[in-house]
Amino acid sequence: MKIRGNIADLYAEKIFPGEVTVLNGFIQEINPLYELQFDNYILPGFVDAHVHIESSMLIPSEFARLAVIHGTVATVSDPHEIANVMGTAGVEYMLENGSKVPFHFNFGAPSCVPATMFETAGAIMDSTEIEKLLEINEIRYLSEMMNYPGAIAGDEEVLKKISAAKKKGKPVDGHAPGLTGDAVLKYIARGISTDHECFTYQEGLFKIQHGMKVLIREGSAAKNFDALIPLLNDYPEMIMFCSDDKHPNDLMRGHINQLVIRALSHKIDFWKVFRAATSNPVNHYQLKSGLLREGDSADFIVVNNLNELKVLQTYIKGILVAENGKSLIEKVTTTTINNFNCNKKQPDDFKIFYGEEFPPVPGLSSREPSIKVIEASDGQLITQTFLHPLSKLINSANELMPDVANDILKFSVVNRYANAKPSVAFIKNIGLQSGAIASCVGHDSHNILAAGVSDEMICKAVNAIIDSKGGLAVVSEKETFILPLPVAGIMTNADAFEVAAAYENMDAEAKKLGSRLSAPFMTLSFMALLVIPQLKLSDKGLFDGSKFGFTSLFD
């Protein structure tokens, strides 16, 4: 097979008319054709340097079918989400399914299962299990070390996991949002090489200057591109692009190609941008995906021009996998696995009373008590603590109620792995004026998360999830909409394009109820993510990420 066009050589930093000869899945020759002129360009395919495939709610083979239409040929994939539900069996499921399609999935060994001791997960993976996973050739690295307090303090289990990766010569990914100064220096000294959680320029700059590579993230909820992109100009070898979490409707619209186009619009040098999207992750993680060189795996894209970067064709291992926006990867036959063991709830399970389960705090008689409310931010994983007067939430029976007029909703996390009383708190900025939304995509343990205007609506949404053993739900007084996720309760093996359309409908229904968030379900999914500051809720209670411990609902 021979492909002609203007060829981009990342290493010589030049573009020339030429011909790529592919044989048995590898690039046999690249020959200049200076006497000819071409309108199209041949470029290395894009690499997502950090993504949780599970957050697309698609199994790997279906994720690939969407990603290739945007020129993505490889991912560095952390199977942390399914591991927290299913343990090693979940990781093995991802490896097996991903191997069925022409795509470079590079999975890691999840370092934090469970993510914390402050929530209920479906599995525990200790250093012995991690060491076994790292023995597998297809496991390319140790996934993000979210337990940065443990890494800094020298926790024995944490150090064993890091040591196991070092012995195998495999990189260790980091996760240290907002961490700088001496603390992050200790973290880096453990051998942790990357961070995708920087949310300010200063934080990213400090980490780069001390040897850590920074991944610029633009996903469905967390969007740090604008804050961090200036770093690419001065530190081009230290930057990679990633999505981290991408919902299916957003993946339909674009992937790493979107970051490339935006970076080029900032007038950043073409070669710096393309290395961040291709060779930097390939070299850092020692990936097998090709970079448009003789002898490389034949993984490349053909685009219309260097401004629009419209992907005309995507080739992986010499196979044409996408053309003119159409995926050519065929759907594969799959099985499902799951771990869902809780009974349906009653509205009374979500009631909370002042002076009963939460006794009045001594010393507050001189001023009006306040309720700590989780304040969500659109486009961010971090939250703040919003103090709301108790008098606006309490009724004559001392029951704490939502204050819908002021956008203070009830928020609950329900243990999916066993029958237990739901934890309940309050949340701001979800925006619902009626009904409720719920999801079993609830990082990191994937319990059921629900926010709504009343106990009845929350209960209705939670029970819809329980009936389906995982999924997304939108409920009103008259209707219930459900997107089932039968694989581990967080993914579906349905057709990727149909799932994207169904998710788009769910998103629209949530917004009809009043949500003003750009991605209501994605934001909801991170409200139980305890390792990201500040105020969050687990199935065990309200959690203060700045102190890394439980906190009272009352101020």
Side-chain angles (χ1 to χ4, degrees):
M1 180 177 67
K2 297 180 184 294
I3 308 294
R4 289 183 171 187
N6 297 303
I7 299 170
D9 186 333
L10 285 181
Y11 293 88
E13 294 192 357
K14 65 178 183 179
I15 296 174
F16 60 91
E19 181 178 75
V20 179
T21 302
V22 176
L23 182 65
N24 297 326
F26 291 89
I27 296 176
Q28 186 182 44
E29 290 182 321
I30 298 178
N31 293 314
L33 298 172
Y34 291 114
E35 72 279 8
L36 299 178
Q37 292 185 338
F38 300 103
D39 294 329
N40 61 313
Y41 289 78
I42 304 173
L43 309 167
F46 302 126
V47 181
D48 190 333
H50 176 80
V51 62
H52 302 281
I53 299 295
E54 304 96 309
S55 291
S56 70
M57 291 173 276
L58 303 170
I59 57 176
S61 58
E62 290 297 316
F63 177 96
R65 294 180 67 218
L66 277 183
V68 294
I69 66 177
H70 308 301
T72 303
V73 300
T75 58
V76 180
S77 309
D78 180 0
H80 167 92
E81 312 301 344
I82 195 168
N84 267 278
V85 177
M86 305 293 303
T88 300
V91 179
E92 292 171 344
Y93 179 92
M94 302 296 276
L95 286 168
E96 191 272 337
N97 180 256
S99 70
K100 292 184 175 182
V101 292
F103 193 87
H104 292 283
F105 286 107
N106 300 282
F107 288 105
S111 67
C112 298
V113 179
T116 73
M117 67 181 72
F118 303 103
E119 57 196 309
T120 303
I124 297 173
M125 295 179 68
D126 61 16
S127 57
T128 301
E129 286 190 75
I130 295 303
E131 191 166 2
K132 289 179 181 177
L133 278 178
L134 288 165
E135 294 283 343
I136 301 172
N137 289 334
E138 290 77 14
I139 297 293
R140 310 296 301 176
Y141 67 108
L142 182 65
S143 298
E144 55 182 307
M145 179 49 70
M146 296 188 299
N147 187 3
Y148 58 84
I152 293 167
D155 177 86
E156 183 179 357
E157 270 291 289
V158 169
L159 297 187
K160 282 182 179 179
K161 292 174 183 178
I162 294 173
S163 177
K166 287 181 178 178
K167 286 178 183 177
K168 286 294 178 182
K170 297 181 178 182
V172 181
D173 264 8
H175 169 115
L179 198 68
T180 57
D182 290 342
V184 81
L185 296 183
K186 292 177 182 177
Y187 186 63
I188 294 170
R190 297 296 185 193
I192 296 166
S193 60
T194 68
D195 195 5
H196 60 277
E197 293 289 351
C198 299
F199 48 86
T200 67
Y201 174 87
Q202 291 75 17
E203 179 190 351
L205 178 62
F206 185 89
K207 288 174 177 175
I208 285 175
Q209 289 176 335
H210 291 88
M212 181 174 269
K213 294 179 180 178
V214 167
L215 280 58
I216 296 179
R217 171 179 60 187
E218 195 79 355
S220 292
K223 301 179 185 296
N224 308 122
F225 180 93
D226 290 333
L228 301 177
I229 194 60
L231 292 166
L232 183 54
N233 266 321
D234 297 326
Y235 302 94
E237 302 306 318
M238 301 295 286
I239 299 294
M240 301 177 233
F241 291 148
C242 78
S243 64
D244 196 4
D245 295 289
K246 197 83 166 169
H247 270 189
N249 61 330
D250 285 336
L251 188 58
M252 274 284 291
R253 298 186 183 103
H255 195 199
I256 299 302
N257 61 316
Q258 293 176 319
L259 280 76
V260 170
I261 293 168
R262 286 179 64 184
L264 292 173
S265 73
H266 281 64
K267 308 302 180 185
I268 298 175
D269 178 75
F270 174 88
W271 303 108
K272 291 178 180 180
V273 172
F274 260 81
R275 282 197 291 270
T278 59
S279 61
N280 285 359
V282 167
N283 293 331
H284 179 77
Y285 293 100
Q286 304 170 53
L287 308 182
K288 294 181 180 179
S289 46
L291 293 169
L292 202 53
R293 299 172 296 185
E294 290 183 354
D296 278 3
S297 177
D299 313 313
F300 55 86
I301 60 176
V302 181
V303 303
N304 62 336
N305 58 55
L306 299 183
N307 296 315
E308 293 177 278
L309 287 176
K310 181 181 178 182
V311 178
L312 305 177
Q313 294 178 321
T314 302
Y315 290 86
I316 300 178
K317 303 175 186 179
I319 300 170
L320 179 63
V321 294
E323 188 167 28
N324 296 323
K326 181 180 179 181
S327 180
L328 302 180
I329 298 177
E330 294 186 4
K331 185 172 176 57
V332 299
T333 302
T334 59
T335 58
T336 62
I337 56 174
N338 210 333
N339 183 9
F340 216 105
N341 297 295
C342 69
N343 293 339
K344 293 173 72 170
K345 305 302 176 187
Q346 299 296 323
D348 285 354
D349 294 330
F350 300 92
K351 294 185 181 298
I352 49 177
F353 294 89
Y354 183 67
E356 185 178 311
E357 294 181 27
F358 299 95
V361 179
L364 290 185
S365 57
S366 60
R367 64 181 178 89
E368 182 180 2
S370 295
I371 299 293
K372 294 176 186 174
V373 177
I374 299 168
E375 185 174 13
S377 297
D378 200 10
Q380 296 293 336
L381 308 190
I382 58 173
T383 62
Q384 304 297 329
T385 298
F386 178 82
L387 297 179
H388 196 64
L390 174 65
S391 60
K392 292 188 177 182
L393 297 178
I394 196 166
N395 65 13
S396 58
N398 276 346
E399 182 183 353
L400 300 184
M401 307 291 288
D403 181 4
V404 178
N406 288 298
D407 193 16
I408 308 295
L409 304 180
K410 258 191 178 177
F411 175 47
S412 180
V413 179
V414 180
N415 185 334
R416 66 176 278 190
Y417 304 104
N419 290 316
K421 183 173 175 55
S423 65
V424 184
F426 291 88
I427 193 165
K428 181 177 176 61
N429 291 339
I430 299 297
L432 302 182
Q433 295 300 301
S434 62
I437 61 174
S439 172
C440 202
V441 179
H443 306 280
D444 280 309
S445 295
H446 299 287
N447 289 300
I448 306 169
L449 281 61
V453 302
S454 70
D455 297 331
E456 289 74 19
M457 289 293 97
I458 289 174
C459 185
K460 185 177 180 180
V462 167
N463 285 342
I465 300 292
I466 293 172
D467 280 338
S468 294
K469 293 190 179 297
L472 309 180
V474 179
V475 303
S476 64
E477 291 286 349
K478 296 182 179 180
E479 294 182 291
T480 296
F481 300 92
I482 184 78
L483 174 57
L485 300 175
V487 181
I490 57 176
M491 293 181 288
T492 175
N493 53 358
D495 179 86
F497 297 88
E498 294 176 3
V499 174
Y503 178 83
E504 193 83 14
N505 290 336
M506 295 294 290
D507 181 78
E509 292 299 333
K511 289 171 180 174
K512 284 181 183 177
L513 297 182
S515 180
R516 298 179 300 276
L517 294 169
S518 56
F521 284 106
M522 183 63 88
T523 297
L524 183 70
S525 73
F526 290 112
M527 295 302 99
L529 184 54
L530 309 188
V531 296
I532 298 288
Q534 187 259 337
L535 194 64
K536 299 290 173 71
L537 183 68
S538 85
D539 67 295
K540 296 183 178 181
L542 195 62
F543 188 83
D544 185 338
S546 60
K547 298 176 181 177
F548 220 74
F550 290 117
T551 185
S552 169
L553 183 64
F554 300 94
D555 177 59

